[in-house]
Amino acid sequence: MSNSISENIARFSAGLPEDVTLVAVSKTKPNSAIMEAYDAGQRVFGENKIQEMCQKHEELPKDIQWHMIGHVQRNKVKYMAPFVAMIHGIDTLKLLQEVNKRALQQQRVIPCLLQVHIATESSKFGFSAEEIRNIFKEDSLNTLEGVSIRGLMGMASNTPDEEQVKKEFSGLHALYEEMKTLHPGMDTLSMGMSGDYEMAIACGSNMVRVGSSIFGARNYKI
Ligand SMILES: *Cc1c(COP(=O)(O)O)cnc(C)c1O
């Protein structure tokens, strides 16, 4: 990726449909990279480690909306509860209850997405479609006043097989529409990353989580 971060933000802002929110995934990236995107107008950023997100929140402008897109450990929810703008990876009811508890302590309502397992890989977290249907039928969501279930999130298989990816995204979109009839307050379907966001949008996504296409490849420490 030879374009600058600000050029990439401008390209995405101009290219995405108006109703699609861009979450700029800044995990592992330094504050300077985030500020370059911020100065280009980006305000929504995604992180996958709570500690890293908390540190960046402390150091960076307070009008940034921080989305937690990674797997969440329950004992760390309290650190992000004061400020997190949305949690994408709710994958157990116990985690949702913990978010509810910490949100109420902060006198907040935290927007959450339930993560659905749609990929063929077994390593990815999330509820099955059947579990999602049961959760919404039981109506237990409405009793949690500290959380607002805004929709669903999913990650497609990491495969060059576009038909497979399309099948997974379309399936999640159908489940989202089905659950919306039970929970009309939902407005967010988070699916699509650098490699598959166009397909995700074609399949009904309205929130994409894009990292490397904006910030360049990540250098993971070994
Ligand atoms: C890292 C990550 C992304 C962004 O991935 P890219 O391929 O760099 O765009 C999106 N979603 C989740 C959950 C991630 O962990």
Side-chain angles (χ1 to χ4, degrees):
M1 181 67 56
S2 56
N3 291 341
S4 71
I5 292 170
S6 51
E7 282 169 343
N8 292 335
I9 292 293
R11 186 165 44 84
F12 271 95
S13 306
L16 292 179
E18 217 170 304
D19 66 329
V20 175
T21 300
L22 173 64
V23 180
V25 176
S26 50
K27 62 190 186 193
T28 78
K29 296 295 174 183
N31 288 352
S32 57
I34 296 174
M35 281 312 296
E36 191 177 338
Y38 180 91
D39 288 336
Q42 182 67 23
R43 290 295 180 274
V44 182
F45 291 88
E47 291 284 336
N48 71 338
K49 296 228 159 58
I50 292 175
Q51 202 174 340
E52 184 177 341
M53 184 174 75
C54 289
Q55 191 175 343
K56 287 172 172 173
H57 166 257
E58 291 234 325
E59 295 168 355
L60 290 165
K62 290 298 172 278
D63 62 340
I64 289 179
Q65 295 161 46
W66 293 103
H67 285 220
M68 174 43 58
I69 63 169
H71 180 64
V72 174
Q73 287 171 279
R74 262 185 290 148
N75 61 354
K76 292 187 181 161
V77 170
K78 55 180 178 283
Y79 302 118
M80 64 175 170
F83 68 91
V84 66
M86 183 173 266
I87 301 174
H88 291 229
I90 301 292
D91 59 358
T92 63
L93 285 180
K94 269 188 144 178
L95 173 59
L96 190 65
Q97 281 155 4
E98 174 67 11
V99 173
N100 179 61
K101 176 177 144 189
R102 298 298 177 181
L104 291 174
Q105 284 175 354
Q106 298 291 327
Q107 298 180 300
R108 291 191 67 209
V109 178
I110 297 180
C112 290
L113 305 178
L114 301 182
Q115 184 169 354
V116 188
H117 181 100
I118 57 173
T120 51
E121 294 103 335
S122 58
S123 63
K124 289 177 184 161
F125 296 100
F127 295 105
S128 68
E130 219 33 61
E131 287 171 320
I132 291 285
R133 286 194 184 92
N134 287 333
I135 291 168
F136 280 94
K137 266 186 215 138
E138 278 163 21
D139 206 40
S140 47
L141 299 178
N142 294 326
T143 64
L144 301 173
E145 294 181 343
V147 296
S148 164
I149 303 298
R150 296 283 296 277
L152 305 178
M153 177 271 208
M155 292 168 82
S157 298
N158 185 11
T159 169
D161 181 352
E162 292 203 353
E163 281 309 311
Q164 177 66 24
V165 171
K166 185 176 176 180
K167 200 172 89 186
E168 292 168 2
F169 282 150
S170 302
L172 184 55
H173 179 247
L175 183 65
Y176 170 70
E177 292 295 338
E178 183 186 333
M179 293 308 108
K180 243 167 68 161
T181 63
L182 301 173
H183 201 77
M186 297 207 304
D187 58 6
T188 305
L189 180 56
S190 168
M191 54 184 200
M193 337 203 314
S194 291
D196 57 18
Y197 73 91
E198 285 163 312
M199 176 69 86
I201 292 169
C203 295
S205 168
N206 63 12
M207 185 171 277
V208 293
R209 311 174 309 271
V210 179
S212 43
S213 288
I214 293 172
F215 293 106
R218 286 176 293 275
N219 302 309
Y220 282 107
K221 290 186 213 111
I222 296 168

